[in-house]
């Protein structure tokens, strides 16, 4: 899988490059600002771009803006935002188009290397990877989620993070069959159309949660 | 035709305008030595606006303009301010210019145009009426049809000239009406150029009307030089106008005298009136120097205003000293808190992390299981250190506030608190950075208070513009008893006071608690 990295701090840029190369990714470019990111993505057409939010020159939200540009101009490239902060405002802007191939994670999550690598891969394949903090804020908006059992809520949270049924099963120490049953029940209770495909199901759940 | 009608109608209107102008300025100047000068000026302003509106109405009907001159001058309220507002109102001065120029323009235009019309029509119809009343030009009798027919081309030529003249007058009047009577609402303070243009127009108009009256004087009696009165009466407003523009364009005039620009305007007005009185004294025979008394009254009034300004300034200085000391101290204790948080938190965690890593290194060969345990511990420690640093950084300045403004920042704050929060931010635009940050921290502190001490279940956060202020209000339904002298609220009050704002905490035992900050903010 081909990756482009945009991160202004050399220490983190190099660390991330090494980590991804060790995990059999091909890092085709590692740049330090938003403009260079857009240029190199349009040139290389990678599977996924890993983007920091605060980039030169203003160190504000360049990463988010570059990500939105990329989603427009290179729709097949997945965009994974990694940042020191989770801000709901950014999450909403990124999720607004309702498409997959998107991730927004705290940089802390990189320390769980296996989990992080799986998230990069998922985003590259058109899936989603949302930070538990984003999901918690989405869930906290007091939607009519009372109809769900605590276990179902837990499954819903992991689903919203973008995880597959198999990943949820291993996380909750359940069989895949049991998870599938929970998922079917959640979709029925929230009146969402059943779908066999993980990514599409996640997007439906996110759209539902964002409707608040 | 419409232009002709307009010219006809503007003759009496122009006379009325001149009357209002002269009466207004004379009344204002006579009353200027008493506080009654202010209502006189405000009334005069309304009267001048009324005449201007009448004129504009006529122009709108006949010439197709869309001017609607204002009757009042905007600005801060208050008795003394209302007078200053008039003098600082560019619309007022533009109306003066219009009314002044409408006399020579309307009168001259009407006389020329209507005479030309009559003469042309007369020439044109000469072949019809020469029989009954044969006119004579320089001993040349129009007594045959052949001669009378010569009048036809002359009449046509006259009409053509009249038509051209009317077109010219039409364009000129329309530009004058649009340029000087159109209201310019909502715009920012008048630009330097605009102010200067209005002053130039005023000077030209004053000059023109005086010239016009002097010409009338010259061709009529040539006796008593009565135009001196209009010279003086119209010179006074021109002098005041010039002074107002001068002070607003050159703030250093007020700065050099160490007074406010308002006081500098008053100073110029008092000086203009003094000169006016001296001139009136001079043209009325220069007998007993009575202007001494009004000048003395003006000087006393000015001295009182100046005295008030100086005492107000003294108050302001001591207020600034207090709030500045508060702000500095607040900053100092804030830095101290950050240092302590770093020392006890992230730094300590990094030390522990280093220890775990060191031990893991030691045990790697002998006891790999224990080493792995230590590494996992190190990772947990890293995450905790990061979380702490994040919340510390957010407490210093939340990045989303700069990027997305108050609504997003306060909503993010609300999403992170377990309490139910309703956020309503209604602002016409983004406030200045310092005010925005202070408003954010009022919301943050109020929310923290509600969650920590008051056991609140619901919090309302409202941010809105109120006149020249920004108001932040945090209301919770908790048990009350918030201590305004406590660390958090005291620091908050200092932050708000440093921006000339006020923080009010109302928290009776048993609740509810209302924290309300009001900060001045230009919109």
């Amino acid at each position: 899988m081909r990756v482009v990295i945009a991160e202004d701090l050399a220490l983190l840029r190099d660390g991330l490059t090494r980590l991804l190369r060790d995990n059999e990714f091909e890092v085709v470019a590692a740049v330090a600002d938003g403009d260079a990111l857009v240029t190199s993505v349009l040139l290389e057409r990678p599977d996924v771009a890993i983007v920091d939010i605060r980039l030169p020159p203003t160190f504000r939200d360049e990463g988010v803006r570059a990500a939105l540009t990329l989603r427009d101009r290179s729709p097949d490239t997945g965009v994974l935002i990694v940042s020191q902060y989770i801000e709901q405002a950014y999450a909403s802007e990124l999720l607004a188009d309702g498409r997959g191939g998107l991730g927004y994670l705290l940089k802390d999550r990189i320390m769980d290397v296996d989990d992080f690598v799986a998230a990069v891969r998922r985003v590259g394949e058109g899936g989603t990877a949302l930070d538990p903090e984003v999901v918690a804020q989405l869930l906290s908006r007091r939607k009519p989620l009372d109809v769900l059992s605590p276990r179902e809520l837990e499954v819903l949270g992991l689903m919203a993070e973008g995880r597959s049924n198999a990943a949820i099963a291993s996380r909750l120490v359940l069989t895949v069959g049991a998870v599938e049953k929970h998922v079917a029940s959640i979709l029925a209770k929230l009146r969402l159309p059943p779908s066999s495909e993980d990514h599409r199901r996640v997007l439906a759940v996110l759209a539902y949660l964002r409707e608040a | 035709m419409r232009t002709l009608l307009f010219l006809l109608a503007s003759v009496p209107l122009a006379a009325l305008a001149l009357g209002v102008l002269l009466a207004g300025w004379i009344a204002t100047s006579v009353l200027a030595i008493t506080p009654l000068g202010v209502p006189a000026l405000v009334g005069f302003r309304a009267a001048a606006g009324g005449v201007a509106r009448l004129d504009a109405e006529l122009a709108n009907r006949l010439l197709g303009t869309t001017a609607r001159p204002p009757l009042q001058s905007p600005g801060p309220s208050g008795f003394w301010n209302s007078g200053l507002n008039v003098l600082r109102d560019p619309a007022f001065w533009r109306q003066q210019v219009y009314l002044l120029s409408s006399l020579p323009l309307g009168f001259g235009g009407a006389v020329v145009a209507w005479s030309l019309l009559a003469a042309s029509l007369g020439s044109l119809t000469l072949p019809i009426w020469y029989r009954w009343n044969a006119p004579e030009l320089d001993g040349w009798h129009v007594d045959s049809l052949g001669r009378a027919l010569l009048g036809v081309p002359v009449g046509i030529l006259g009409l053509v000239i009249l038509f051209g003249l009317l077109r010219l007058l039409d364009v000129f009047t329309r530009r004058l009406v649009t340029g000087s009577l159109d209201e310019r609402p909502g715009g920012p303070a008048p630009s330097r150029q605009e102010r200067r243009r209005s002053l130039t127009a005023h000077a030209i108009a004053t000059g023109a009307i005086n010239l016009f009256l002097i010409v009338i004087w010259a061709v009529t009696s040539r006796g008593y030089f009565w135009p001196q009165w209009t010279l003086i009466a119209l010179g006074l407003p021109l002098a005041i106008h010039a002074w107002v523009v001068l002070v607003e364009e050159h703030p250093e005039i007020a700065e050099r005298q160490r007074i406010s620009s308002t006081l500098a305007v008053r100073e110029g007005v008092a000086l203009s009136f003094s000169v006016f009185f001296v001139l009136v004294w001079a043209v009325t025979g220069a007998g007993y120097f009575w202007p001494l008394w009004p000048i003395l009254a003006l000087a006393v009034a000015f001295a009182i205003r100046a005295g008030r300004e100086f005492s107000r300034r003294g108050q302001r200085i001591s207020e600034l000293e207090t709030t500045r000391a508060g702000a500095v101290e607040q900053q100092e204790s804030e830095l101290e808190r950050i240092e302590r948080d770093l020392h006890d938190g992230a730094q300590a965690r990094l030390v522990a992390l280093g220890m775990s890593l060191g031990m893991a290194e030691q045990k790697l060969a002998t006891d790999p299981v224990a080493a792995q345990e230590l590494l996992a511990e190190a990772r947990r420690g890293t995450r905790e250190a990061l979380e702490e640093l994040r919340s510390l950084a957010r407490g210093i300045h939340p990045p989303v506030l700069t990027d997305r403004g108050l609504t997003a920042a306060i909503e993010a704050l609300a999403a992170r608190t377990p309490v139910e929060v309703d956020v309503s931010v209604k602002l016409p635009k983004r406030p200045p950075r310092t005010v925005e940050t202070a408003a954010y921290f009022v919301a943050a502190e109020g929310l923290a208070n509600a969650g920590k001490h008051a056991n609140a279940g619901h919090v309302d956060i409202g941010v809105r513009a109120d006149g020249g202020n920004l108001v932040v209000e945090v209301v919770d339904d908790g048990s009350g008893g918030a201590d305004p002298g406590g660390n958090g609220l005291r620091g908050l009050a200092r932050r708000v006071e440093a921006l000339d704002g006020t923080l009010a905490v109302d928290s009776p035992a048993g609740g509810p608690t209302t924290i309300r900050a009001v900060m001045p903010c230009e919109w």
Side-chain angles (χ1 to χ4, degrees):
Chain A
M1 191 170 264
R2 302 171 74 241
V3 185
V4 166
I5 297 171
E7 160 68 65
D8 59 313
L9 297 174
L11 192 69
L12 295 184
R13 190 169 60 232
D14 296 347
L16 204 52
T17 308
R18 206 178 69 192
L19 185 150
L20 289 171
R21 285 200 173 128
D22 281 357
N23 285 276
E24 277 128 38
F25 284 89
E26 188 191 342
V27 179
V28 290
V31 298
D33 64 75
D35 289 344
L37 168 71
V38 173
T39 316
S40 59
V41 165
L42 292 181
L43 190 72
E44 301 281 350
R45 301 281 170 179
D47 298 297
V48 58
I50 300 180
V51 185
D52 182 20
I53 289 188
R54 281 213 214 178
L55 293 173
T58 66
F59 297 97
R60 288 192 178 177
D61 59 343
E62 269 83 1
V64 176
R65 280 190 274 126
L68 292 173
T69 310
L70 289 186
R71 286 180 75 66
D72 200 31
R73 296 181 56 187
S74 181
D76 293 334
T77 301
V79 177
L80 173 59
I81 302 270
V82 288
S83 168
Q84 300 277 20
Y85 301 90
I86 291 295
E87 288 298 349
Q88 205 56 44
Y90 298 154
S92 301
E93 286 164 31
L94 292 165
L95 288 169
D97 63 4
R99 279 172 34 216
L102 184 78
Y104 183 11
L105 295 175
L106 270 180
K107 280 186 181 166
D108 309 17
R109 313 295 172 205
I110 302 175
M111 285 186 292
D112 287 322
V113 178
D114 293 339
D115 216 28
F116 176 71
V117 165
V120 177
R121 204 152 268 150
R122 215 158 62 227
V123 171
E125 285 161 357
T128 51
L130 289 191
D131 199 90
E133 216 178 287
V134 178
V135 172
Q137 288 189 18
L138 282 176
L139 291 178
S140 75
R141 293 207 227 161
R142 292 162 198 261
K143 296 264 308 178
L145 294 174
D146 314 346
V147 292
L148 303 182
S149 71
R151 187 52 127 187
E152 283 168 348
L153 263 179
E154 213 171 355
V155 173
L156 177 68
L158 291 170
M159 220 160 93
E161 284 176 28
R163 294 172 196 277
S164 65
N165 284 358
I168 297 175
S170 80
R171 171 68 73 100
L172 297 178
V173 203
L174 291 171
T175 63
V176 175
V179 170
E180 275 170 1
K181 239 165 72 193
H182 283 307
V183 170
S185 160
I186 293 168
L187 294 180
K189 283 180 178 172
L190 301 184
R191 297 187 190 168
L192 294 174
S195 166
S196 55
E197 213 231 314
D198 282 348
H199 297 341
R200 195 158 315 151
R201 214 165 44 213
V202 170
L203 289 176
V205 165
L206 286 177
Y208 175 82
L209 290 175
R210 276 168 32 75
E211 248 170 46
Chain B
M1 197 59 217
R2 287 172 164 243
T3 317
L4 267 176
L5 269 182
F6 178 74
L7 284 174
L8 191 65
S10 65
V11 172
L13 272 178
L16 176 69
L18 186 71
V20 167
L21 286 187
L22 288 178
W25 281 111
I26 289 173
T28 309
S29 50
V30 169
L31 293 172
I33 49 171
T34 68
L36 285 178
V38 172
L41 186 59
V42 173
F44 170 40
R45 195 258 172 277
V51 179
R53 194 169 273 191
L54 214 59
D55 252 36
E57 201 55 47
L58 199 66
N60 292 350
R61 290 264 168 89
L62 293 176
L63 305 180
T65 50
T66 54
R68 190 172 163 74
L71 297 178
Q72 278 167 350
S73 302
S77 57
F79 181 77
W80 294 108
N81 279 336
S82 61
L84 274 179
N85 289 344
V86 172
L87 296 183
R88 280 179 168 169
D89 181 12
F92 171 65
W93 292 116
R94 280 204 307 271
Q95 286 170 11
Q96 299 262 315
V97 171
Y98 177 80
L99 296 180
L100 279 178
S101 40
S102 72
L103 187 70
L105 190 75
F107 210 74
V111 167
V112 171
W114 279 94
S115 327
L116 197 56
L117 179 69
S120 307
L121 289 180
S123 303
L124 205 59
T125 52
L126 191 61
I128 300 172
W129 57 268
Y130 78 98
R131 261 177 264 257
W132 296 289
N133 187 5
E136 182 190 336
L137 280 171
D138 287 335
W140 196 69
H141 281 276
V142 182
D143 47 8
S144 69
L145 185 63
R147 286 189 173 181
L149 279 174
L150 286 176
V152 175
V154 174
I156 292 176
L157 184 70
L159 283 180
V160 167
I161 295 175
L162 175 67
F163 186 69
L165 183 73
L166 284 181
R167 286 291 294 271
L168 207 69
L169 276 172
D170 183 48
V171 170
F172 191 76
T173 322
R174 226 182 292 180
R175 279 188 61 178
L176 190 68
V177 169
T178 321
S180 44
L181 293 187
D182 240 355
E183 196 173 3
R184 288 159 214 198
S191 70
R192 198 189 169 95
Q193 222 179 1
E194 201 178 314
R195 263 194 236 124
R196 219 178 257 184
R197 212 182 299 138
S198 126
L199 179 61
T200 315
H202 191 178
I204 291 174
T206 306
I209 193 159
N210 279 310
L211 199 68
F212 176 73
L213 293 173
I214 290 172
V215 168
I216 289 183
W217 168 81
V219 297
T220 56
S221 62
R222 291 232 190 184
Y224 171 65
F225 188 64
W226 49 267
Q228 64 190 4
W229 285 101
T230 50
L231 271 173
I232 297 173
L234 297 178
L236 171 72
L238 184 63
I240 293 176
H241 187 184
W243 180 259
V244 170
V245 171
L246 193 72
V247 167
E248 293 197 334
E249 265 188 27
H250 297 277
E252 66 269 16
I253 294 176
E255 267 164 35
R256 207 174 305 136
Q257 302 179 64
R258 295 171 194 280
I259 58 179
S260 68
S261 68
T262 313
L263 197 61
V265 168
R266 287 180 198 288
E267 181 187 49
V269 170
L271 266 172
S272 306
F273 277 121
S274 304
V275 172
F276 170 78
F277 287 126
V278 172
L279 284 176
V280 170
W281 166 79
V283 300
T284 50
Y288 165 65
F289 192 67
W290 54 266
L292 178 68
W293 300 105
I295 290 173
L296 209 61
L298 285 168
V300 169
F302 179 73
I304 291 173
R305 306 292 311 171
R308 272 205 214 149
E309 179 171 317
F310 281 111
S311 87
R312 219 180 10 243
R313 202 180 294 172
Q315 264 172 24
R316 177 81 181 130
I317 287 173
S318 65
E319 199 178 287
L320 284 176
E321 274 171 354
T322 317
T323 54
R324 191 179 67 163
V328 170
E329 199 179 311
Q330 154 72 4
Q331 194 181 16
E332 197 71 21
S333 62
E334 191 76 343
L335 286 175
E336 230 170 79
R337 182 186 65 81
I338 293 166
E339 191 277 334
R340 201 168 48 236
D341 283 356
L342 280 173
H343 178 266
D344 298 352
Q347 272 180 345
R349 285 192 195 281
L350 285 174
V351 173
L353 181 74
M355 292 196 305
S356 301
L357 287 175
M359 273 150 60
E361 205 175 22
Q362 265 184 347
K363 296 204 173 164
L364 200 56
T366 55
D367 188 355
V369 179
Q372 194 160 20
E373 189 98 339
L374 282 163
L375 284 175
E377 198 176 294
R379 204 172 63 179
R380 267 200 306 281
T382 314
R383 183 171 311 141
E384 280 160 5
L386 278 172
E387 255 155 40
E388 240 176 66
L389 283 173
R390 193 154 38 234
S391 85
L392 184 65
R394 196 145 21 210
I396 298 170
H397 194 276
V400 72
L401 181 60
T402 323
D403 300 348
R404 292 294 182 275
L406 265 178
T407 314
I410 297 181
E411 270 170 7
L413 202 62
R416 276 192 295 272
T417 11
V419 192
E420 194 180 308
V421 187
D422 274 334
V423 182
S424 138
V425 180
K426 290 197 185 96
L427 298 175
K429 61 172 196 190
R430 279 189 76 163
R433 249 180 85 157
T434 44
V435 177
E436 191 176 63
T437 310
Y440 171 84
F441 280 104
V442 172
E445 184 64 35
L447 213 49
N449 238 26
K452 249 188 283 173
H453 309 302
N455 295 316
H458 184 92
V459 182
D460 276 307
I461 301 179
V463 185
R464 62 193 155 83
D466 182 12
N469 290 317
L470 179 143
V471 180
V472 193
E473 212 163 29
V474 185
V475 184
D476 72 49
D477 63 352
S479 54
D483 175 16
N487 238 344
L489 285 176
R490 205 181 54 213
L492 196 62
R494 283 178 174 161
R495 198 187 265 259
V496 172
E497 280 158 12
L499 298 172
D500 275 331
T502 53
L503 184 82
V505 179
D506 177 38
S507 183
T513 302
T514 303
I515 295 177
R516 185 183 151 92
V518 180
M519 289 172 276
C521 178
E522 295 277 328
W523 299 110

